[in-house]
Amino acid sequence: MRIVVKIGTSTLAHPSGHLNIRRVESLCRVISDIKNAGHEIILVSSGAIGMGVGKLGLREKPKDMPSKQAAAAVGQCELMYIYDKLFGEYHHTVAQLLITGDDTANETRHQNFINTLNRLLELGALPILNENDTVATDEIVIGDNDTLAAIVAESVRAGLLILLSDIDGLYTADPHTDPDAKLLHRVTKIDGAIRSLAGVSVTNQGTGGMVTKLRAAEICLRCGCDMVIANGNNPANLYDILDGKPVGTTFTEKCL
Ligand code: GLU
């Protein structure tokens, strides 16, 4: 199966902005194993700005655009260095693709991007994507990696998109404050009732939150790609998802 896995900043980094080494090592090991089992994997990784903040020793995430873009430029190098090192241990070759909204809106550029991705997969490489934060401005920004991951999944006709976040999935109420909050295991349609739950399942460090995850689910359901929101704190969740075990929230139109 062709699978897109999106890794959020909160999965990669401690709240301090520094790398969560244990988590990332285990994530790269599990993803390498899944790739060894014969699946095609594309990663969409956040964390460039977060890593840049840590590496530059800034006290907090900057608010102005040039500083955010500078942090992303530093952090993106750090991210790819880590991925190259860890996936290299399992003999997987990583490739970096940085794209903007323009690259998906313009037909020629979009096709070039799809061709490159497909060729990388044919060559057995592991493509790792992020938005090109250093040049993305208001007009061409995709804005969040949940949407980017769904656009990628649609573009390469992936069978599954997995969004790894700091929450178990979509809840009926805020699980931090409401003991009766229930995790929804399966959603087949994004309607008003589901959208109204976006505000209650709050995520912490990342850019998107549940609103962008539901937007990603809409894109996926439209093109027949299943999508799962799962907690990235346990990378072994990825095995369970592929084994069809109930992990997180699955968005699918397929019958059980
Ligand atoms: N592109 C941003 C980064 O790498 C993250 C965007 C997101 O978290 O959705 O820092």
Side-chain angles (χ1 to χ4, degrees):
M1 180 160 40
R2 188 168 277 192
I3 306 164
V4 179
V5 181
K6 182 254 172 174
I7 308 174
T9 304
S10 56
T11 298
L12 290 171
H14 290 290
S16 66
H18 291 291
L19 187 71
N20 187 329
I21 296 172
R22 182 167 48 172
R23 176 91 51 77
V24 175
E25 283 185 349
S26 137
L27 202 56
C28 291
R29 192 167 53 81
V30 172
I31 291 171
S32 296
D33 196 24
I34 289 173
K35 205 164 141 39
N36 285 350
H39 296 289
E40 288 180 326
I41 308 284
I42 297 171
L43 284 190
V44 174
S45 177
S46 299
I49 298 175
M51 292 283 149
V53 169
K55 190 122 200 246
L56 288 167
L58 306 178
R59 239 176 280 153
E60 55 183 27
K61 186 171 166 179
K63 295 190 177 51
D64 66 291
M65 189 57 86
S67 305
K68 271 197 234 173
Q69 292 181 315
V74 171
Q76 184 64 31
C77 289
E78 179 73 356
L79 261 185
M80 288 312 295
Y81 167 73
I82 291 158
Y83 283 131
D84 193 20
K85 181 167 170 286
L86 295 178
F87 283 115
E89 286 177 14
Y90 301 102
H91 312 290
H92 288 298
T93 300
V94 298
Q96 172 184 260
L97 290 90
L98 298 177
I99 64 163
T100 64
D102 248 4
D103 303 317
T104 59
N106 176 294
E107 214 178 304
T108 312
R109 292 167 73 141
H110 190 204
Q111 195 53 53
N112 286 337
F113 155 68
I114 295 172
N115 293 346
T116 307
L117 261 181
N118 281 329
R119 182 53 52 87
L120 283 167
L121 292 173
E122 279 165 23
L123 291 167
L126 174 55
I128 304 182
L129 284 86
N130 196 357
E131 183 151 18
N132 195 350
D133 292 316
T134 56
V135 296
T137 54
D138 281 351
E139 302 78 51
I140 57 165
V141 78
I142 295 169
D144 68 89
N145 278 352
D146 297 326
T147 308
L148 171 61
I151 292 173
V152 171
E154 182 181 30
S155 302
V156 299
R157 298 198 169 89
L160 179 64
L161 166 62
I162 302 173
L163 301 181
L164 294 178
S165 182
D166 56 358
I167 188 156
D168 290 341
L170 182 65
Y171 280 89
T172 54
D174 183 354
H176 303 105
T177 55
D178 187 342
D180 292 329
K182 294 212 170 30
L183 179 69
L184 295 174
H185 288 292
R186 193 179 151 84
V187 174
T188 52
K189 204 166 87 195
I190 313 287
D191 53 15
I194 291 294
R195 262 187 225 107
S196 71
L197 300 177
V200 302
S201 302
V202 183
T203 66
N204 294 324
Q205 263 171 293
T207 305
M210 205 43 83
V211 173
T212 57
K213 289 180 179 41
L214 291 184
R215 204 181 302 139
E218 274 183 275
I219 297 174
C220 286
L221 288 178
R222 213 174 51 211
C223 66
C225 172
D226 290 349
M227 188 186 105
V228 177
I229 301 173
N231 205 318
N233 65 7
N234 177 14
N237 275 340
L238 291 172
Y239 289 126
D240 290 342
I241 293 169
L242 295 183
D243 287 343
K245 295 187 184 152
V247 176
T249 304
T250 301
F251 298 80
T252 181
E253 281 181 338
K254 298 187 185 87
C255 301
L256 279 177

